[in-house]
Amino acid sequence: MADTFIWVPTVAGLSGDATLLVRKAQFGDGYRQSVADGINNRSSSYNLTFVRDTATIAAIMAFLDAHAGATAFLWTPLLRPQALFTCEKYSEPTKDGAVYTLSATFDQTFAP
């Protein structure tokens, strides 16, 4: 069973994209045929920001490092069901007073 990412991102820094894979065939008379490509033709990618205390940011970094960008984990995006994601890239934290800021990109995957 995959681990679950439990930390909630800062809503102000949350953005995402959905990618729909489509196969297209263009014909000479202007006719085009399109069909969904594969059984998982929709995937999502989220840019997340976490603004938290030292211990929380350290725990997030430890979680992401433990998964090494390759092992999938469970995470629940806004208005979507829980799904599997990987994180191949995150920023080194920056400090502002007593809090740190960390940004990460979560990419949906379909196998642990």
Side-chain angles (χ1 to χ4, degrees), residues 4 6 10 20 34 43 45-46 48-49 52 58-60 69 74 81 85 102-104:
T4 301
I6 59 171
T10 305
L20 301 169
S34 301
S43 64
S45 179
Y46 292 90
L48 308 174
T49 301
R52 300 285 187 270
I60 292 170
L74 293 167
F85 288 86
L102 179 137
S103 297

Side-chain angles (χ1 to χ4, degrees), residues 5-99:
F5 188 85
I6 59 171
W7 300 275
V8 178
T10 305
V11 175
L14 188 136
S15 67
D17 293 308
T19 302
L20 301 169
L21 299 177
V22 178
R23 287 185 178 222
K24 301 174 189 173
Q26 185 70 44
F27 298 96
D29 60 357
Y31 176 76
R32 183 174 80 182
Q33 188 175 18
S34 301
V35 65
D37 187 7
I39 59 171
N40 294 314
N41 77 309
R42 183 194 181 286
S43 64
S44 298
S45 179
Y46 292 90
N47 297 312
L48 308 174
T49 301
F50 301 90
V51 181
R52 300 285 187 270
D53 60 272
T54 304
T56 305
I57 294 296
I60 292 170
M61 290 172 52
F63 182 93
L64 296 176
D65 287 343
H67 289 80
T71 304
F73 53 86
L74 293 167
W75 179 65
T76 306
L78 293 175
L79 301 176
R80 296 280 181 195
Q82 188 176 60
L84 288 170
F85 288 86
T86 58
C87 179
E88 293 182 27
K89 182 178 180 180
Y90 69 88
S91 68
E92 291 296 332
T94 58
K95 185 175 181 182
D96 184 17
V99 297

